[in-house]
């Protein structure tokens, strides 16, 4: 808040989140030191370190096309640079999620249990995340998958509580500083519906 209308220049957004397989390719190519690996990843999820130096990283069977998990903002930024991409700004992310009709959720104004992966849905303990192309009914108006649920997504911005006050005045630039970074979209382990709103 506050709510506002703001013109955004055209931008591209990936239809899918980054997969474990894609993130493992970054790690295999860059072969980060232990310190850099720990900066990029909170904890080892479904991608494991190689047995020997210079060998490729491995993804647990069945999770190749699931979204990369436990990746820090620094890891997300490193992936984007490696892939010649960039993280979206917070207002770009929200525009991609809710379109031009101010929808509450990426798919529209009404809640649907089966349009996303969340704690109270059809999530199994052995497979908490879903494949990146699951839940096609939950796509945003631009066809982007899973902007609600499954994994939260990093934005470029520093988190500032008053950021939208400045955006409402027409300023599209992200805050220049802060102590935390912006996460959007909610995760598969969250259970409150409001966590998955486009504006959250």
């Amino acid at each position: 808040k506050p709510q506002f209308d703001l013109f955004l220049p055209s931008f591209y957004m990936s239809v899918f989140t980054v997969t474990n397989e894609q993130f493992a390719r970054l790690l295999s190519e860059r072969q980060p030191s232990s310190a850099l690996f720990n900066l990029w990843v909170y904890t080892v999820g479904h991608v494991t370190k190689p047995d020997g130096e210079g060998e490729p990283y491995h993804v647990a069977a069945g999770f190749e096309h699931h979204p990369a998990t436990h990746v820090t903002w620094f890891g997300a930024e490193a992936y984007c640079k490696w892939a010649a991409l960039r993280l979206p700004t917070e207002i770009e992310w929200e525009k991609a999620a809710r379109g031009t009709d101010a929808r509450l959720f990426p798919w529209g104004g009404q809640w649907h249990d089966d349009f996303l992966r969340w704690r109270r849905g059809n999530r199994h303990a052995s497979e908490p995340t879903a494949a990146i192309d699951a839940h096609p009914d939950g796509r945003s108006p631009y066809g982007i998958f899973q902007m609600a649920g499954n994994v939260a997504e990093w934005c470029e911005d520093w988190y500032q509580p008053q950021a939208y006050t400045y955006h409402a005045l027409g300023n599209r630039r992200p805050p220049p500083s802060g102590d935390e970074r912006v996460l959007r979209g909610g995760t598969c382990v969250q259970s409150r519906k409001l966590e998955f709103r486009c504006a959250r």
Side-chain angles (χ1 to χ4, degrees):
K1 65 182 181 179
Q3 293 186 7
F4 60 90
D5 292 323
L6 181 66
F7 172 78
L8 291 181
S10 297
F11 60 95
Y12 287 98
M13 189 99 162
S14 176
V15 172
F16 301 112
T17 54
V18 174
T19 65
N20 287 312
E21 185 176 62
Q22 290 171 312
F23 198 76
R25 282 181 15 217
L26 160 71
L27 296 171
S28 296
E29 185 175 309
R30 290 287 306 274
Q31 291 291 320
S33 65
S34 293
L36 191 57
F37 180 86
N38 292 334
L39 180 68
W40 287 356
V41 181
Y42 286 115
T43 183
V44 176
H46 300 295
V47 177
T48 57
K49 292 182 179 181
D51 296 328
E53 187 176 339
E55 294 183 14
Y57 282 69
H58 302 285
V59 179
F63 287 91
E64 295 88 349
H65 299 290
H66 284 234
T69 57
H70 309 302
V71 176
T72 69
W73 183 89
F74 299 102
E77 182 188 41
Y79 180 87
C80 286
K81 287 182 177 178
W82 174 77
L85 303 169
R86 68 171 175 85
L87 291 170
T89 64
E90 184 174 18
I91 54 177
E92 285 174 337
W93 191 97
E94 186 168 334
K95 170 68 181 291
R98 73 189 313 185
T100 59
D101 57 358
R103 52 186 60 195
L104 294 178
F105 305 102
W107 55 83
Q110 301 297 318
W111 177 260
H112 293 277
D113 282 351
D114 56 349
F115 280 18
L116 74 164
R117 179 58 64 99
W118 66 308
R119 187 169 187 163
R120 293 185 184 176
N122 59 349
R123 186 178 71 91
H124 303 288
S126 62
E127 190 179 68
T129 56
I132 59 167
D133 58 353
H135 306 291
D137 291 332
R139 287 177 292 177
S140 82
Y142 300 103
I144 302 173
F145 281 70
Q146 300 173 11
M147 297 195 81
N150 216 15
V151 293
E153 300 177 349
W154 289 111
C155 293
E156 174 188 337
D157 305 38
W158 288 104
Y159 173 73
Q160 288 287 357
Q162 302 303 318
Y164 271 38
T165 300
Y166 301 111
H167 293 324
L169 298 174
N171 183 354
R172 292 192 301 263
R173 292 189 308 270
S177 62
D179 296 324
E180 299 175 298
R181 295 286 184 166
V182 171
L183 273 170
R184 286 300 200 106
T187 74
C188 62
V189 297
Q190 291 174 302
S191 59
R192 296 189 303 159
K193 295 175 184 178
L194 66 86
E195 298 287 350
F196 306 105
R197 291 180 56 158
C198 294
R200 177 73 171 180

